[in-house]
Amino acid sequence: QVQLVESGGGLVQAGGSLRLSCVVSGRTFSSYAMGWFRQAPGKDREFVSAINRSGGSTLLADSVKGRFTISRDNAKNTVYLQMNSLKPEDTAVYYCAADLTFGLYRTVSAYDYWGQGTQVTVSS
Protein backbone atom coordinates (compact mmCIF):
# COMPACT_ATOMS: atom_id res chain seq x y z
CA GLN A 1 0.00 0.00 0.00
CA VAL A 2 1.51 3.30 -1.09
CA GLN A 3 0.83 6.30 1.11
CA LEU A 4 1.58 9.95 0.50
CA VAL A 5 1.36 12.43 3.36
CA GLU A 6 1.69 16.16 2.76
CA SER A 7 2.60 18.75 5.37
CA GLY A 8 3.75 22.35 5.60
CA GLY A 9 0.63 24.21 4.54
CA GLY A 10 -0.77 27.14 6.46
CA LEU A 11 -1.75 30.79 6.42
CA VAL A 12 0.79 33.30 5.11
CA GLN A 13 0.70 36.89 3.97
CA ALA A 14 1.23 37.82 0.35
CA GLY A 15 4.94 37.89 -0.43
CA GLY A 16 5.71 35.23 2.15
CA SER A 17 7.07 31.72 1.78
CA LEU A 18 6.11 28.17 2.66
CA ARG A 19 7.76 24.82 2.09
CA LEU A 20 5.53 21.84 1.51
CA SER A 21 6.75 18.31 2.13
CA CYS A 22 5.36 14.98 0.99
CA VAL A 23 6.58 11.74 2.51
CA VAL A 24 5.97 8.55 0.54
CA SER A 25 5.85 5.09 2.07
CA GLY A 26 5.06 1.61 0.88
CA ARG A 27 7.37 1.27 -2.08
CA THR A 28 10.81 2.38 -3.22
CA PHE A 29 10.53 6.14 -3.48
CA SER A 30 13.00 6.39 -6.34
CA SER A 31 10.59 4.33 -8.46
CA TYR A 32 8.30 7.34 -8.79
CA ALA A 33 8.25 10.58 -10.62
CA MET A 34 6.50 13.05 -8.32
CA GLY A 35 4.14 15.90 -8.93
CA TRP A 36 2.45 18.72 -7.07
CA PHE A 37 -1.03 19.88 -7.98
CA ARG A 38 -3.44 22.34 -6.43
CA GLN A 39 -7.17 22.86 -6.33
CA ALA A 40 -8.93 26.07 -5.40
CA PRO A 41 -12.61 26.10 -4.41
CA GLY A 42 -14.84 25.68 -7.42
CA LYS A 43 -11.94 25.02 -9.78
CA ASP A 44 -10.37 21.96 -11.36
CA ARG A 45 -7.21 20.47 -9.96
CA GLU A 46 -4.26 22.03 -11.77
CA PHE A 47 -0.65 21.12 -12.31
CA VAL A 48 2.00 23.00 -10.35
CA SER A 49 5.27 21.12 -10.70
CA ALA A 50 6.84 17.72 -11.33
CA ILE A 51 10.22 16.06 -10.83
CA ASN A 52 11.64 12.90 -12.31
CA ARG A 53 12.92 9.88 -10.40
CA SER A 54 16.47 11.10 -9.98
CA GLY A 55 15.61 14.75 -9.44
CA GLY A 56 17.54 15.75 -12.53
CA SER A 57 14.55 17.04 -14.51
CA THR A 58 11.69 19.25 -13.41
CA LEU A 59 8.62 20.96 -14.80
CA LEU A 60 6.87 24.07 -13.53
CA ALA A 61 3.57 25.64 -14.44
CA ASP A 62 3.97 29.07 -16.02
CA SER A 63 2.02 30.65 -13.16
CA VAL A 64 4.68 29.64 -10.61
CA LYS A 65 7.91 29.90 -12.59
CA GLY A 66 10.48 32.00 -10.79
CA ARG A 67 8.63 31.61 -7.47
CA PHE A 68 8.29 27.86 -6.76
CA THR A 69 10.96 25.16 -6.72
CA ILE A 70 10.48 21.40 -6.56
CA SER A 71 13.10 19.06 -5.16
CA ARG A 72 13.36 15.58 -3.72
CA ASP A 73 15.47 13.66 -1.26
CA ASN A 74 15.37 9.98 -2.17
CA ALA A 75 17.13 9.03 1.07
CA LYS A 76 14.25 10.57 3.02
CA ASN A 77 11.44 9.43 0.70
CA THR A 78 10.37 13.05 0.48
CA VAL A 79 9.50 15.57 -2.20
CA TYR A 80 9.41 19.29 -1.45
CA LEU A 81 7.76 22.35 -2.92
CA GLN A 82 9.42 25.59 -1.92
CA MET A 83 6.99 28.44 -2.51
CA ASN A 84 8.26 32.02 -2.43
CA SER A 85 6.63 35.35 -3.24
CA LEU A 86 3.23 33.85 -2.57
CA LYS A 87 0.15 35.54 -4.00
CA PRO A 88 -3.51 35.34 -2.95
CA GLU A 89 -4.21 33.42 -6.15
CA ASP A 90 -1.93 30.64 -4.89
CA THR A 91 -4.55 29.83 -2.25
CA ALA A 92 -5.63 26.22 -2.71
CA VAL A 93 -5.35 22.72 -1.37
CA TYR A 94 -2.01 21.34 -2.53
CA TYR A 95 -1.66 17.67 -3.37
CA CYS A 96 1.38 15.56 -4.07
CA ALA A 97 1.13 12.65 -6.47
CA ALA A 98 3.29 9.72 -7.54
CA ASP A 99 3.72 8.36 -11.05
CA LEU A 100 5.26 4.98 -11.82
CA THR A 101 6.24 5.79 -15.40
CA PHE A 102 9.48 7.29 -16.67
CA GLY A 103 8.06 10.53 -17.97
CA LEU A 104 7.17 13.90 -16.50
CA TYR A 105 3.53 14.78 -16.87
CA ARG A 106 1.23 17.73 -16.25
CA THR A 107 -2.03 15.82 -16.30
CA VAL A 108 -3.94 14.51 -13.29
CA SER A 109 -4.68 11.22 -15.03
CA ALA A 110 -0.97 10.37 -15.39
CA TYR A 111 -0.48 9.93 -11.66
CA ASP A 112 -1.13 6.69 -9.83
CA TYR A 113 -1.23 7.71 -6.16
CA TRP A 114 -2.33 10.84 -4.33
CA GLY A 115 -2.03 12.37 -0.90
CA GLN A 116 -4.88 13.91 1.07
CA GLY A 117 -3.72 17.47 0.50
CA THR A 118 -2.59 20.39 2.62
CA GLN A 119 -4.28 23.79 2.70
CA VAL A 120 -2.34 26.88 1.68
CA THR A 121 -3.99 30.23 2.28
CA VAL A 122 -2.36 33.48 1.20
CA SER A 123 -3.86 36.67 2.59
CA SER A 124 -3.63 39.99 0.80
Side-chain angles (χ1 to χ4, degrees):
Q1 184 76 7
V2 178
Q3 290 186 323
L4 290 74
V5 179
E6 303 97 333
S7 63
L11 174 64
V12 64
Q13 289 188 332
S17 298
L18 286 173
R19 188 176 81 156
L20 305 184
S21 300
C22 174
V23 178
V24 181
S25 61
R27 191 163 174 164
T28 303
F29 180 63
S30 58
S31 299
Y32 301 111
M34 298 297 298
W36 284 99
F37 290 75
R38 65 187 183 187
Q39 189 166 18
K43 295 188 177 181
D44 292 336
R45 193 167 297 189
E46 66 173 1
F47 172 77
V48 176
S49 188
I51 188 167
N52 72 344
R53 296 178 175 194
S54 68
S57 294
T58 62
L59 290 176
L60 283 168
D62 288 345
S63 59
V64 304
K65 281 181 180 177
R67 301 188 298 122
F68 290 12
T69 304
I70 190 171
S71 62
R72 67 189 295 161
D73 185 338
N74 285 350
K76 295 183 177 181
N77 291 359
T78 303
V79 61
Y80 303 98
L81 186 68
Q82 178 66 44
M83 306 187 295
N84 299 329
S85 302
L86 283 160
K87 304 175 181 180
E89 51 264 45
D90 295 318
T91 295
V93 177
Y94 283 70
Y95 298 89
C96 69
D99 168 25
L100 285 168
T101 67
F102 286 98
L104 280 180
Y105 299 101
R106 300 173 182 263
T107 56
V108 170
S109 60
Y111 290 81
D112 303 288
Y113 302 100
W114 292 83
Q116 294 298 307
T118 186
Q119 176 71 46
V120 172
T121 304
V122 185
S123 63
S124 57

